[in-house]
Amino acid sequence: MDRAARANAGEGMAAYAAPSLFQPHLARQALRDAHEKKISPLLCIFHAVSSVPVVRFITPFNFDAAAVDWEHSSCNTETMTTMVHEIAFMSHGKTIPWVRVPGHDHASIGWALDAGASIIVPQVDTVEQAQHIVSATKFGTRHRGTRSAPPGRWLAGVTDIPFDSSRTIHECLNDQAAIMIQIESLEGINNLDDILTQVPDIDAVWLGSLDARISMNLPGNFGLGGDEPEWHAARDKFFEVLDKHDKPYGGFAFPTPPFGSAEGFKKATDRMSLVACTADMLHLMALGNDLQTARGLVSEAVEERKLSSNGTTTAK
């Protein structure tokens, strides 16, 4: 039984786990299978909060994927690594860990991959940047790889077992972790065709609507887009290029208000292969609503007591 069939039979993303959970999942294949509708889109939680206890609490829900935001958090390398391990191990391989790295530097990319994650790389605008990212991700000359093999990451004969016994562990690792780039500017949109033509080892693309709109001097609108003609033209161009290169698409799509709807979500997932459908920060923000509701009820109770003490209401 192939991995897609196993996933559909109830294994979920554990079907794409490597022989050791210290290794990245076969996320490249999982994305491709989702893109080709062999499996459902990967439903992802976005961890904007760099907290091991939060990840530890949420991981047992068994999202298909969990993205650690290392770009916009106070997360250090050790915390990021622990979060990735918590996601992989506490889910028993049912959740694929992803890390949005802080930038394009070789070290950050290597640390995230060494932890066992696939990577989301922000602010990709040019072919040269994309070539550097892929080079930093791969081992060996086949991919112009410059990634350093970590001698202490996988233990010989224990956690370094390749998923394909006919190849070396490093050859296999090249086909495991996925590279998703974020296009977050009009420059990136205009260069996307060249990027995907010259750097085919990119596995998926995420349109960062918030940053892209800001780069175009348009209101951010919480990343929800807008009705400006120039925005529609840029967005249409992005998807035309993506379809031309038959690349998986990932990003945010929320099934509930105020940032989404059931119908909008279903429409979005028809195209998407990885869907960040919720985020820990959104639910923390909801604590403010609880506080306002509580304050309102307290105010009502105070007024009711005042009226009662003035004899205008009858106590029950």
Side-chain angles (χ1 to χ4, degrees), residues 31-230:
L31 276 178
R32 197 72 218 169
D33 286 350
H35 179 66
E36 295 175 358
K37 309 299 184 187
K38 295 178 182 178
I39 61 173
S40 298
L42 279 60
L43 298 181
C44 176
I45 179 169
F46 192 82
H47 286 295
V49 179
S50 55
S51 167
V52 173
V54 168
V55 165
R56 189 174 294 147
F57 183 81
I58 292 174
T59 294
F61 285 109
N62 291 334
F63 284 87
D64 298 318
V68 176
D69 188 10
W70 197 14
E71 182 189 15
H72 293 299
S73 73
S74 59
C75 197
N76 61 23
T77 305
E78 184 175 0
T79 299
M80 176 276 296
T81 299
T82 303
M83 292 172 73
V84 168
H85 288 172
E86 293 284 325
I87 292 164
F89 284 89
M90 290 200 69
S91 71
H92 302 282
K94 294 179 182 177
T95 302
I96 300 177
W98 291 74
V99 172
R100 180 160 73 172
V101 294
H104 302 173
D105 67 289
H106 195 282
S108 295
I109 290 171
W111 281 327
L113 294 168
D114 288 354
S118 288
I119 58 171
I120 301 168
V121 186
Q123 303 284 346
V124 179
D125 295 321
T126 67
V127 169
E128 292 75 20
Q129 290 172 343
Q131 288 172 332
H132 165 76
I133 289 161
V134 172
S135 174
T137 305
K138 303 297 184 182
F139 298 107
T141 58
R142 175 184 165 192
H143 300 278
R144 299 181 180 177
T146 58
R147 183 181 172 193
S148 176
R153 178 58 64 179
W154 300 291
L155 301 178
V158 181
T159 57
D160 74 339
I161 308 301
F163 76 86
D164 179 353
S165 61
S166 69
R167 296 192 288 164
T168 69
I169 180 63
H170 299 101
E171 290 173 327
C172 286
L173 288 167
N174 280 342
D175 287 334
Q176 290 174 222
I179 306 168
M180 183 182 295
I181 61 169
Q182 290 189 301
I183 299 296
E184 302 185 83
S185 69
L186 184 59
E187 179 186 9
I189 292 172
N190 288 334
N191 288 333
L192 184 58
D193 190 18
D194 288 339
I195 289 171
L196 296 180
T197 298
Q198 297 186 47
V199 196
D201 286 315
I202 289 168
D203 297 295
V205 186
W206 176 317
L207 176 61
S209 299
L210 176 62
D211 278 314
R213 286 180 58 82
I214 292 171
S215 82
M216 297 169 67
N217 298 312
L218 299 172
N221 291 348
F222 302 101
L224 297 177
D227 294 326
E228 303 88 351
E230 61 268 42

